[in-house]
Amino acid sequence: MLDAYHRDGEHKEALEITNSLVEQFPENTIALRNQARAMNKLGGFATDAILETYRKAVIVKFPGDYSALWYGSFLSDIGRLVDSVEAHVYACTLDLDDPECFSRLAQIMSDVVQPRNVWQVNDENRPVPSFIDSESVIKSIMFAVDCPGYGASQKFICEQALRNIGFGIEELGIRLEEAGELTRTDRRNFVEPLYEKLKTGVTLKT
C-alpha cells in the first residue's frame, strides 16, 4: 500500500500513515524503515533525522534485513560508503539465505573499491578498510549466486559489480567451479567476521 502512495507522489500521506504506525508500534522495524523512507521522499527533513530513523529500524529487538538494506542505500546516497557497507553486511547476517542482501553488498563494495564518481565518497572520518577489496566483492557475488532464489534482478546487480571492478563473468564461472558447493555455513563464516570488523554505532545500539 505504501509503495502505491509513493508511486503516486503522495509522500505526505505515506508519512502520516507511517507516523501513526510508529506511534502504535515504536519497535517495529517495518514501520520505522517506511517512516524513514517517507521522510526522505517527502523532503524537508534533516539528513540526521532520516538517518536516526533508519538506525532505529535496525537496532530494535527484531530488526529486518530489508531495514538494513534501505538504511545502507540511504547511507550510500549521501556518500557514506563504508557505513553503507556495514549496513549491508549487517543485512546479510540477518538473512543468510537472501540473494538480494549479498548482491547489494557486492554492489556497494564495488563502489568503495572503484568509485564511479569522486563525489561518491565524502566521509572523511571513516577511511576504507584494507579488507574491502575486489576479492571481497567477488566472494559476495559467489555467495549471492549460491543463495536460494537467486534470479535475474540479482544477476544484473552482480554483473554491474563485476564490471565495476573489472572482473569477467567467465572468470567468475571459473571461481565458482573451483569453489564447488557453497553452504549456508560458508556464507555465515564470510559475513559474521566481516561484521565484527565493521560494526560501529551505525548499526549498534549505543
Side-chain angles (χ1 to χ4, degrees), residues 1-3 5-6 12-38 53 60 70:
M1 180 180 69
L2 291 170
D3 288 345
Y5 276 104
H6 289 304
K12 182 179 179 182
E13 290 78 0
L15 181 60
E16 289 172 353
I17 292 169
T18 57
N19 285 346
S20 177
L21 287 170
V22 171
E23 187 175 344
Q24 295 175 67
F25 309 103
E27 292 289 304
N28 184 281
T29 188
I30 298 173
L32 285 162
R33 76 174 181 238
N34 275 287
Q35 183 184 46
R37 179 177 67 162
T53 305
V60 293
W70 289 16

Side-chain angles (χ1 to χ4, degrees), residues 43-102:
F45 292 90
T47 298
D48 285 349
I50 300 169
L51 282 171
E52 182 56 25
T53 305
Y54 272 127
R55 197 180 81 87
K56 286 178 182 177
V58 301
I59 64 171
V60 293
K61 186 175 181 180
F62 300 108
D65 56 323
Y66 274 73
S67 296
L69 285 181
W70 289 16
Y71 183 23
S73 178
F74 184 72
L75 286 162
S76 174
D77 288 344
I78 62 173
R80 290 173 55 178
L81 295 191
V82 179
D83 287 344
S84 179
V85 171
E86 177 183 338
H88 280 82
V89 171
Y90 185 47
C92 292
T93 69
L94 293 172
D95 191 345
L96 292 165
D97 297 319
D98 192 337
E100 189 73 15
C101 293
F102 284 90

